[in-house]
């Protein structure tokens, strides 16, 4: 087996990992829209624009991340 033949599987694995990088980032960050990011990446990632959109979405922070779902407000005395 030549060196070139051995590099083909490595190149394929790296290409697939690069293609699905936005999905992998979203999975690592436990993004709440993971299935939608995967679908966008799978279906439109090949366009380049779809890949960039999936990457931006994967790196985005959800609007209410880190804040409680309800807030308590102290009432001012009259």
């Amino acid at each position: 087996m030549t060196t070139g033949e051995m590099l083909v599987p490595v190149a394929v694995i790296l290409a697939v990992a690069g293609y699905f990088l936005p999905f992998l980032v979203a999975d690592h960050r436990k993004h709440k829209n993971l299935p939608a990011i995967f679908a966008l990446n799978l279906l439109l990632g090949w366009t380049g624009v779809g890949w960039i959109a999936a990457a931006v979405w994967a790196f985005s922070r959800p609007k209410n991340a880190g804040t409680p779902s309800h807030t308590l407000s102290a009432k001012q005395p009259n």
Side-chain angles (χ1 to χ4, degrees):
M1 193 180 260
T2 66
T3 304
E5 291 172 338
M6 290 189 299
L7 288 178
V8 170
V10 173
V12 169
I13 290 169
L14 288 176
V16 170
Y19 183 82
F20 284 109
L21 186 62
F23 167 71
L24 296 172
V25 168
D27 184 43
H28 179 74
R29 298 184 74 212
K30 308 287 189 242
H31 203 287
K32 68 178 185 173
N33 295 323
L34 184 64
I37 293 170
F38 175 74
L40 176 64
N41 194 188
L42 179 67
L43 299 175
L44 295 176
W46 63 272
T47 64
V49 174
W51 190 93
I52 291 170
V56 168
W57 197 3
F59 280 106
S60 71
R61 185 175 194 179
K63 292 184 182 192
N64 294 331
T67 60
S69 59
H70 64 282
T71 57
L72 300 175
S73 61
K75 293 187 177 184
Q76 298 290 331
N78 290 338

